Amino acid sequence: MKFLEIENLRKVYGAQVGVQHFDIAVERGEFISFLGPSGCGKTTTLRMVAGFEQPSAGSIRIDGRDVVGLRPNQRNIGMVFQSYALFPNMTVAQNVAFGLKIAKRPDAEIKPRVAEMLQMIKLPQLGDRFPYQLSGGQQQRVALARALAGSPQLLLLDEPLSALDAKIRASLRSEIRDLQRKLGITTIYVTHDQEEALAMSDRIVVMSEGRIEQLGTPFEIYNRPRTRFVASFVGTLNILRGKVIDPAKGVVRVDEQDIRLDQQIPNAAPGEMRAIALRPEAVTLGETRPDRNAMKGTIEEVSFLGAIVRIKVRFKDNLISLDTFNSSASPPPRRGDSATVTFAPADLQVLEGVEG
Amino acid sequence: MKFLEIENLRKVYGAQVGVQHFDIAVERGEFISFLGPSGCGKTTTLRMVAGFEQPSAGSIRIDGRDVVGLRPNQRNIGMVFQSYALFPNMTVAQNVAFGLKIAKRPDAEIKPRVAEMLQMIKLPQLGDRFPYQLSGGQQQRVALARALAGSPQLLLLDEPLSALDAKIRASLRSEIRDLQRKLGITTIYVTHDQEEALAMSDRIVVMSEGRIEQLGTPFEIYNRPRTRFVASFVGTLNILRGKVIDPAKGVVRVDEQDIRLDQQIPNAAPGEMRAIALRPEAVTLGETRPDRNAMKGTIEEVSFLGAIVRIKVRFKDNLISLDTFNSSASPPPRRGDSATVTFAPADLQVLEGVEG
Amino acid sequence: MKRSRLGPWLAMAIGTAYFLIPLIATFEFSLRMKRGEYSLEAYRVVLADPRFQASFGYSTLIAIATILMGVLLIVPTAYWIELKLRNLRPLVEFITLLPLVIPAIVIVFGYLHTYNSSSWIPLIATPRGTDLLLTFGYMTLALPYMYRAVDTGLRSIDVRTLTEAAESLGAGWGTILFKVIFPNVRVAVLSGAFLTFAIVIGEFTLASLLDRPAFGPYLQLVGANRAYEPSALAIVAFVVTWACMGLIQIFGRDRRATMAGR
Amino acid sequence: MKRSRLGPWLAMAIGTAYFLIPLIATFEFSLRMKRGEYSLEAYRVVLADPRFQASFGYSTLIAIATILMGVLLIVPTAYWIELKLRNLRPLVEFITLLPLVIPAIVIVFGYLHTYNSSSWIPLIATPRGTDLLLTFGYMTLALPYMYRAVDTGLRSIDVRTLTEAAESLGAGWGTILFKVIFPNVRVAVLSGAFLTFAIVIGEFTLASLLDRPAFGPYLQLVGANRAYEPSALAIVAFVVTWACMGLIQIFGRDRRATMAGR
């Protein structure tokens, strides 16, 4: 038996389906992300686990106990909201102590626990401040401490970093993950930011239109996307349009240059058009080798992004975007230069469907 | 004579200095970014160029004409705002035509010009829509078309992408840059997003507390930051704390492992502590070579970010973060593995000041 | 749980009853002028009364004058404050709220002393002057509503940036006001105007103390001396004000839909 | 350019003069009761008048009753609507705005017919009953202000998420209402209360038509029969209402500072 089991969960609003066929089993201590565009049902699912929404059908078991029908205050969960949701009339310490007071813990226990939590979020001196005196990042850390103070069985986070700046987002991301690891608390994290989900999660549930598209580790999701939706939602893709030359040997022609795949092209006749996906980081500039495909083109755009230099190489109709690391010794190539790009046959993936 | 010349510009609010010692000369057709944290004076400077604020001292010349004292409507500039600022009571086409109507261009000229601009921003069928019927990205493209319709001498953009989603931001970024290149219009772009500035600009003005910290190409700014502020604001840095062993040969000891620099350490005595900066992308995992420094440590964290895998390696007290490209063939290393990192002596930079 | 849900519903029920019961009772009563049958007789009598027509016409005129003067005073002021004097906003808000809490009686006494026949501006000496004074008084009463409506309209469109955008496109002040600002607050101004109209039509204190032939005092006069007509009048007044409210809601909804779409 | 700047300033000057000139004139006049010198004689006379004390006391009592009943009716309703019935908000806003536009006279006629001595609830038959009716009337008048104040307070704190946060921490409804919601809207409720107080103290129409010994009718009585006392009374009423407004502003500023800090 897994720690959290959700079976055949379904939520319907009138005629509209919010969530359906939702099944997952989460290990104790696992960090699971629900990833998807807005309206995909990820928040609705989280809110059903929290008890703020009632499922139309299906079951949710936490540590063997069916919680459907229980009120949120009977579920022993910790919840963190996008808008922090700190109580404005209470100090930081009172906010953190709120759940403990409600549970009628003795004062002698509450005080050291609050101090411990503030230590944990690295704001030990701010107990007497009010929420409005803190920055957004600090407020969200306090919200985290408040959610964790009562040692809940399950931690639920609903886009907790969306309201924050990029730099704070990145640092708080690893802080949350460190904390979660240290406490070993089972965690569900809702986000629409694929990088966040990839960076933090043990496993990711990619959702679209109320269904699970794929469930897997970040590495699986990114490198072996099961559906076209997952492939395009997670990461960036080059899509090449090529004419099938030899389906059995896996040869296609893209802008008059032949390239090889490491697999057959299923259900394809010579002359048909196919879309082929290629991740930017699988492409390198120069370095022609016999085991790699090479294509000649012209550099159309060079974007210096800091650590990464993103280069777009134009062939006749197709365009390949590739990433290289910045090197202080050699400036990036220039627009208009001719260039050869190479990539391994294994990195090419034929997408389903015939292209016009 | 340069196209836009700003000399010794200064703006004071009461006792507070908003901008001072601001000098730049911009070529015709150049794309210049003002980059800095909020409150650094970048927007104030832009607004003085636009005419919405009056400088306390200094001169601004556009194409040889001193514009200080001219009203914004006499300066022949195009301006794009963070909040789009489309006129809600007018259709897209009326918005784009607004400046042309004010300039009393004949109707026979306005209509094709508006059509041309809508074509340019790839929204040719949306002329009859009202702004509230468009997405944020579309609205900002209309705002751009409106600003460019009157063929201004200078295009000013004030954080135009800050209100948009990450994905749209990235695509609109290259669209704006393409347009700017095609039209050859001199452009000033204000942003607090270093990646945006690095990706788009011919040159970047990094600002802090009302002053110019550094002026240079993205490559210069990123790889040869002149001040500690620029180094830490642009990109991410590993800061290693090491004990100086041999200042003349450039040897320091970091967590009991000696590393070499390609330069002397100025004003340092053996035994003093120094901070050394190292970019994450200059570090590689494995590949020991005699011309590179090597350090042995333990992998503390692995963040799978998609195209990039960010790995943190812990030594005794220091931590090095390094970036590697995702490779679908080989999963990233695991937490707790031991690892050797290498980096070239040339990539190390000693920061000013003695460390405690 | 159950109890706490019942409370609010009960409160809402009471709130609704508050308005509906008196209204229905009044309406029912107004239909009973002819013995033993429901008829619109009371309405016929009331609407045929020349004093009704005269007082209603008078109040309508005063209301229109109030609205015109109010718009001319408030729109440019509110625009200017939003654009350049944002620091003054709390002060201006305070001033515009004053008429809500200063009793109308105090305003009238102030006027009577300031503009009496021996003062510099002896407005009260002539009926036209008193009409003007009444209009001023109503402008004061309507100020909080009018200002708030216009201010809300202005705030919802980010006046500052729109003004700057128009300026950067070469527009002068006239163009900005009439092409950009006014069209975007027209709806807000209209809803303020309807509210003003509704307030002026039913107002009693000022009109009565200044002794003008307005609709409010006529209502009171009829109410004191007749049986069925007052109810009919009350219903007529209610329908007029309700129509005004309906118009506000219609315009308001339009605006809200527009906003929601953003 | 120059002209367009002058306009708004002129408008503001007129606006300010509007309030200041009558006020100063009234104040100056109120000091002239003793011939040839400025004195506070008028104030002494007014404040010593037992009818002043009685009517002011009566109005204060009614105001407090109105505030208590209003808070009990409005806070839970507004909370519930914000939390669970957001779709109903336009309707509720519409209802709460009705009293602004339905003339007080209509309300009174409605009450007179509904609660007269031959009706089911003959409130008007006894003075206590009429007092209750007056309180109901004032509650109606104050509803728009009170509701708006409470609603603004509730909206500024994201009631829904705070409620969910408290629930997830184990809190029940009682704890949520008294520990989380109420402390955060206390300021808003207070400012609504002060506004209500100011309105009730100066109200004339309802009190006069229901024939209750309130402060408004007393003001009018004195105004019709005396020379200097009315001015003094007007100033007293102004000071009282001004103090209420000041308190609202103080509490409001507190709140605003809090908000700005976020």
Side-chain angles (χ1 to χ4, degrees):
Chain A
M1 196 188 66
K2 298 294 173 74
F3 183 72
L4 169 68
E5 292 177 318
I6 301 180
E7 270 171 26
N8 206 10
L9 197 68
R10 185 182 168 82
K11 175 73 184 181
V12 183
Y13 301 97
Q16 225 187 335
V17 175
V19 176
Q20 59 182 334
H21 307 308
F22 194 100
D23 289 270
I24 58 167
V26 179
E27 301 282 352
R28 191 185 295 268
E30 216 180 354
F31 191 111
I32 291 269
S33 290
F34 293 174
L35 172 68
S38 63
C40 72
K42 56 191 194 300
T43 295
T44 306
T45 308
L46 189 82
R47 289 172 62 82
M48 287 191 280
V49 176
F52 299 131
E53 312 242 2
Q54 293 306 311
S56 309
S59 74
I60 301 171
R61 275 191 301 280
I62 302 176
D63 207 7
R65 179 175 72 144
D66 192 333
V67 297
V68 172
L70 290 186
R71 298 212 38 81
N73 54 8
Q74 300 163 328
R75 293 193 183 195
N76 193 19
I77 47 156
M79 178 102 185
V80 175
F81 300 85
Q82 182 179 342
S83 58
Y84 325 138
L86 296 180
F87 305 128
N89 56 314
M90 301 180 197
T91 63
V92 165
Q94 287 168 340
N95 264 286
V96 175
F98 186 84
L100 303 171
K101 286 230 166 111
I102 283 175
K104 299 220 169 64
R105 307 272 186 91
D107 271 7
E109 188 187 316
I110 292 178
K111 236 184 141 182
R113 178 67 175 161
V114 169
E116 182 194 340
M117 298 313 288
L118 293 182
Q119 194 68 51
M120 186 185 80
I121 57 166
K122 294 172 194 155
L123 300 174
Q125 319 86 343
L126 300 190
D128 294 333
R129 299 272 183 93
F130 281 92
Y132 69 86
Q133 297 170 309
L134 306 182
S135 72
Q138 290 174 326
Q139 287 191 54
Q140 197 56 298
R141 268 140 81 193
V142 174
L144 191 66
R146 184 180 65 178
L148 292 170
S151 309
Q153 288 186 291
L154 195 60
L155 178 63
L156 308 176
L157 302 107
D158 187 6
E159 308 238 9
L161 306 181
S162 302
L164 300 170
D165 275 356
K167 282 217 163 178
I168 295 159
R169 203 151 59 214
S171 76
L172 205 46
R173 190 159 86 186
S174 55
E175 243 181 82
I176 290 177
R177 182 66 220 243
D178 285 350
L179 252 178
Q180 185 270 339
R181 247 194 217 112
K182 204 156 60 188
L183 300 174
I185 185 170
T186 314
T187 301
I188 302 181
Y189 190 99
V190 163
T191 182
H192 66 271
D193 180 334
Q194 43 116 350
E195 195 182 289
E196 224 166 85
L198 290 171
M200 299 178 81
S201 319
D202 291 319
R203 285 191 298 163
I204 298 174
V205 180
V206 183
M207 293 183 69
S208 162
E209 295 177 359
R211 293 160 192 274
I212 296 183
E213 287 276 331
Q214 188 169 356
L215 169 58
T217 65
F219 187 80
E220 285 166 5
I221 298 277
Y222 187 83
N223 288 306
R224 290 193 282 279
R226 267 222 321 255
T227 66
R228 199 163 182 160
F229 173 82
V230 176
S232 64
F233 189 75
V234 179
T236 47
L237 273 183
N238 290 300
I239 307 276
L240 300 175
R241 292 186 62 254
K243 191 193 280 178
V244 177
I245 301 295
D246 186 338
K249 288 192 186 156
V251 178
V252 292
R253 183 168 293 168
V254 176
D255 286 336
E256 289 147 29
Q257 308 188 46
D258 283 4
I259 58 178
R260 285 163 295 130
L261 283 72
D262 69 341
Q263 58 195 346
Q264 295 191 358
I265 304 167
N267 313 319
E272 277 182 10
M273 299 303 284
R274 280 287 186 282
I276 301 153
L278 177 61
R279 294 271 183 211
E281 69 271 18
V283 185
T284 48
L285 211 56
E287 290 189 58
T288 330
R289 280 192 343 213
D291 60 336
R292 288 172 77 87
N293 288 300
M295 285 182 75
K296 283 204 176 72
T298 316
I299 291 179
E300 178 166 293
E301 196 181 315
V302 178
S303 304
F304 187 86
L305 304 182
I308 283 186
V309 182
R310 181 157 298 156
I311 297 167
K312 288 194 177 142
V313 179
R314 159 72 64 190
F315 308 98
K316 229 180 97 219
D317 294 322
N318 288 285
L319 192 70
I320 284 185
S321 171
L322 65 104
D323 288 352
T324 64
F325 278 125
N326 158 58
S327 151
S328 61
S330 58
R334 266 181 280 164
R335 285 156 39 79
D337 290 358
S338 63
T340 303
V341 299
T342 71
F343 41 89
D347 287 326
L348 293 166
Q349 220 178 337
V350 179
L351 299 175
E352 311 126 30
V354 178
E355 295 285 309
Chain B
M1 197 189 65
K2 298 295 175 68
F3 183 70
L4 168 68
E5 291 175 319
I6 301 181
E7 270 170 27
N8 206 9
L9 197 68
R10 183 183 171 81
K11 175 73 182 180
V12 183
Y13 301 98
Q16 225 186 333
V17 175
V19 176
Q20 61 182 335
H21 307 307
F22 194 100
D23 289 270
I24 58 167
V26 179
E27 302 281 352
R28 190 186 295 270
E30 214 178 357
F31 191 111
I32 292 269
S33 289
F34 294 173
L35 172 67
S38 63
C40 72
K42 55 191 194 300
T43 295
T44 306
T45 308
L46 189 82
R47 290 172 61 82
M48 287 192 279
V49 176
F52 299 131
E53 313 241 3
Q54 293 307 310
S56 309
S59 75
I60 301 170
R61 275 191 300 280
I62 302 175
D63 208 6
R65 179 175 72 144
D66 191 335
V67 296
V68 173
L70 290 185
R71 296 213 38 82
N73 55 9
Q74 300 162 328
R75 293 193 182 194
N76 194 18
I77 47 157
M79 178 101 187
V80 176
F81 300 84
Q82 181 180 342
S83 57
Y84 325 137
L86 296 180
F87 305 127
N89 56 313
M90 301 180 197
T91 63
V92 165
Q94 287 167 338
N95 264 286
V96 175
F98 187 84
L100 304 170
K101 286 229 166 110
I102 283 175
K104 300 221 167 67
R105 306 271 187 91
D107 271 7
E109 187 187 317
I110 291 178
K111 233 181 145 184
R113 178 68 176 161
V114 169
E116 183 193 340
M117 298 314 288
L118 293 181
Q119 193 68 49
M120 186 185 79
I121 57 165
K122 295 171 194 154
L123 300 173
Q125 319 87 342
L126 300 189
D128 294 333
R129 298 274 182 92
F130 280 91
Y132 68 87
Q133 296 171 308
L134 306 182
S135 71
Q138 290 174 326
Q139 287 191 52
Q140 197 57 296
R141 269 141 82 193
V142 174
L144 191 65
R146 183 180 66 177
L148 291 171
S151 309
Q153 287 186 291
L154 195 59
L155 178 63
L156 308 177
L157 303 107
D158 187 7
E159 307 238 7
L161 307 180
S162 301
L164 300 170
D165 276 355
K167 282 217 166 178
I168 295 158
R169 203 152 58 214
S171 76
L172 204 46
R173 190 159 86 186
S174 55
E175 241 181 82
I176 290 177
R177 181 68 220 242
D178 284 352
L179 253 177
Q180 185 270 340
R181 245 193 219 112
K182 203 156 61 187
L183 301 174
I185 185 169
T186 314
T187 300
I188 301 180
Y189 189 98
V190 164
T191 182
H192 67 271
D193 181 333
Q194 44 116 350
E195 193 181 291
E196 223 166 86
L198 290 171
M200 299 177 81
S201 318
D202 289 319
R203 284 191 297 162
I204 298 175
V205 180
V206 183
M207 292 183 72
S208 163
E209 295 177 359
R211 293 160 192 275
I212 295 184
E213 287 274 333
Q214 188 169 355
L215 170 59
T217 64
F219 188 78
E220 283 166 4
I221 296 278
Y222 187 82
N223 287 306
R224 289 191 282 280
R226 265 223 322 255
T227 66
R228 198 163 181 160
F229 173 83
V230 176
S232 63
F233 189 77
V234 180
T236 48
L237 272 184
N238 290 298
I239 306 276
L240 300 175
R241 290 185 62 254
K243 192 194 280 176
V244 177
I245 301 295
D246 186 338
K249 287 190 185 157
V251 178
V252 293
R253 182 168 293 165
V254 176
D255 287 335
E256 289 146 31
Q257 308 189 44
D258 284 3
I259 57 176
R260 284 164 293 129
L261 283 73
D262 69 340
Q263 56 195 347
Q264 297 190 356
I265 305 167
N267 313 319
E272 279 182 11
M273 300 302 284
R274 281 287 187 282
I276 301 153
L278 177 62
R279 294 271 182 212
E281 69 271 19
V283 185
T284 48
L285 211 55
E287 289 190 57
T288 330
R289 276 188 350 209
D291 60 336
R292 287 171 78 87
N293 287 301
M295 285 181 75
K296 283 201 175 73
T298 317
I299 291 178
E300 178 167 293
E301 197 181 313
V302 178
S303 304
F304 188 87
L305 304 181
I308 282 186
V309 181
R310 181 157 297 157
I311 297 168
K312 286 190 179 148
V313 180
R314 159 71 65 187
F315 308 98
K316 228 179 100 224
D317 294 323
N318 288 285
L319 193 71
I320 283 184
S321 171
L322 64 103
D323 289 352
T324 64
F325 278 126
N326 158 58
S327 149
S328 62
S330 58
R334 266 181 279 165
R335 282 156 39 79
D337 290 359
S338 64
T340 302
V341 299
T342 70
F343 41 89
D347 286 326
L348 293 167
Q349 219 177 341
V350 179
L351 298 176
E352 308 128 32
V354 178
E355 295 283 310
Chain C
M1 214 13 252
K2 279 277 157 64
R3 232 188 325 146
S4 70
R5 285 213 185 182
L6 197 63
W9 280 112
L10 198 72
M12 276 195 65
I14 294 176
T16 313
Y18 227 74
F19 290 101
L20 283 188
I21 293 176
L23 193 68
I24 293 169
T26 308
F27 182 62
E28 195 264 0
F29 188 76
S30 74
L31 298 177
R32 292 203 303 213
M33 195 165 182
K34 283 194 179 163
R35 288 235 164 163
E37 59 168 322
Y38 283 144
S39 71
L40 294 175
E41 180 66 13
Y43 292 88
R44 201 195 52 72
V45 170
V46 160
L47 294 177
D49 184 347
R51 284 174 307 167
F52 166 82
Q53 292 160 7
S55 64
F56 195 82
Y58 176 84
S59 282
T60 304
L61 265 179
I62 295 283
I64 290 169
T66 305
I67 288 166
L68 286 181
M69 288 177 59
V71 169
L72 283 178
L73 180 73
I74 289 166
V75 174
T77 312
Y79 172 58
W80 200 251
I81 286 165
E82 183 69 21
L83 193 63
K84 300 269 179 180
L85 305 170
R86 284 213 197 161
N87 299 340
L88 282 188
R89 210 152 61 179
L91 178 71
V92 173
E93 263 171 31
F94 178 81
I95 290 177
T96 57
L97 276 178
L98 280 177
L100 281 187
V101 291
I102 299 181
I105 292 182
V106 174
I107 296 173
V108 173
F109 285 150
Y111 287 165
L112 288 178
H113 284 298
T114 314
Y115 305 112
N116 67 21
S117 36
S118 62
S119 76
W120 307 326
I121 321 162
L123 284 180
I124 293 170
T126 66
R128 282 298 80 72
T130 316
D131 289 348
L132 196 61
L133 201 56
L134 187 63
T135 310
F136 286 166
Y138 286 156
M139 247 174 84
T140 312
L141 288 186
L143 182 65
Y145 310 104
M146 200 71 180
Y147 184 84
R148 185 175 283 257
V150 171
D151 191 51
T152 306
L154 284 174
R155 281 202 215 184
S156 73
I157 57 163
D158 190 358
V159 165
R160 224 183 233 205
T161 315
L162 286 188
T163 302
E164 288 182 354
E167 263 190 292
S168 75
L169 292 167
W173 287 103
T175 315
I176 294 174
L177 260 173
F178 289 100
K179 293 271 172 70
V180 177
I181 301 303
F182 192 74
N184 285 306
V185 296
R186 208 185 51 216
V187 168
V189 168
L190 272 178
S191 80
F194 288 128
L195 207 49
T196 304
F197 186 79
I199 289 167
V200 171
I201 283 292
E203 205 282 335
F204 171 71
T205 314
L206 243 70
S208 143
L209 292 178
L210 284 176
D211 196 22
R212 300 308 303 150
F215 191 56
Y218 170 74
L219 267 181
Q220 199 258 352
L221 187 76
V222 174
N225 303 310
R226 301 296 195 91
Y228 299 95
E229 289 89 335
S231 300
L233 266 179
I235 295 294
V236 168
F238 176 78
V239 168
V240 169
T241 51
W242 201 89
C244 287
M245 279 302 289
L247 287 173
I248 296 175
Q249 285 290 312
I250 288 165
F251 282 103
R253 204 181 306 278
D254 240 29
R255 173 130 219 111
R256 230 171 286 146
T258 309
M259 292 296 132
R262 281 199 194 161
Chain D
M1 226 352 267
K2 278 277 157 66
R3 220 165 1 122
S4 69
R5 286 212 184 182
L6 196 62
W9 279 112
L10 198 72
M12 275 194 67
I14 293 175
T16 313
Y18 226 73
F19 290 101
L20 283 188
I21 293 176
L23 193 68
I24 291 169
T26 308
F27 182 62
E28 195 263 0
F29 188 75
S30 74
L31 298 177
R32 292 203 303 213
M33 194 166 184
K34 282 195 178 165
R35 289 234 163 164
E37 59 170 324
Y38 283 147
S39 72
L40 296 173
E41 180 65 14
Y43 291 89
R44 202 194 53 72
V45 171
V46 160
L47 294 176
D49 185 346
R51 283 174 308 168
F52 166 82
Q53 292 159 8
S55 65
F56 196 81
Y58 176 85
S59 282
T60 305
L61 265 179
I62 296 282
I64 290 170
T66 306
I67 288 166
L68 286 180
M69 288 176 60
V71 169
L72 284 178
L73 180 73
I74 290 166
V75 174
T77 313
Y79 172 58
W80 201 253
I81 286 164
E82 183 67 22
L83 193 64
K84 300 269 181 180
L85 305 169
R86 285 216 194 158
N87 300 341
L88 283 188
R89 210 150 65 178
L91 178 70
V92 173
E93 263 171 31
F94 178 81
I95 290 177
T96 58
L97 275 177
L98 279 178
L100 281 187
V101 292
I102 299 181
I105 292 182
V106 175
I107 295 173
V108 174
F109 284 150
Y111 286 165
L112 289 177
H113 284 298
T114 315
Y115 304 112
N116 67 21
S117 36
S118 62
S119 76
W120 307 325
I121 321 164
L123 282 181
I124 293 169
T126 66
R128 284 298 79 76
T130 317
D131 289 347
L132 196 62
L133 201 56
L134 187 62
T135 309
F136 286 166
Y138 285 156
M139 248 174 82
T140 312
L141 288 186
L143 182 65
Y145 310 104
M146 200 71 181
Y147 184 84
R148 186 175 280 257
V150 171
D151 190 51
T152 306
L154 285 173
R155 282 203 214 182
S156 72
I157 56 165
D158 190 358
V159 166
R160 225 184 233 202
T161 315
L162 286 188
T163 301
E164 288 183 353
E167 265 189 292
S168 75
L169 291 167
W173 286 104
T175 314
I176 294 175
L177 261 173
F178 289 100
K179 293 272 172 71
V180 177
I181 301 304
F182 191 72
N184 285 306
V185 297
R186 210 184 50 216
V187 168
V189 168
L190 271 177
S191 80
F194 288 127
L195 207 50
T196 304
F197 186 80
I199 289 166
V200 171
I201 282 291
E203 206 282 335
F204 172 72
T205 314
L206 244 69
S208 140
L209 292 179
L210 284 176
D211 195 21
R212 299 309 301 150
F215 191 58
Y218 170 74
L219 266 181
Q220 198 258 350
L221 187 76
V222 173
N225 303 309
R226 300 299 193 90
Y228 299 97
E229 288 90 335
S231 299
L233 266 178
I235 294 295
V236 167
F238 176 77
V239 168
V240 168
T241 50
W242 201 88
C244 288
M245 280 301 290
L247 287 173
I248 296 175
Q249 285 289 312
I250 288 166
F251 282 104
R253 205 182 304 277
D254 241 27
R255 173 132 220 109
R256 230 171 285 145
T258 308
M259 292 295 133
R262 282 202 192 158

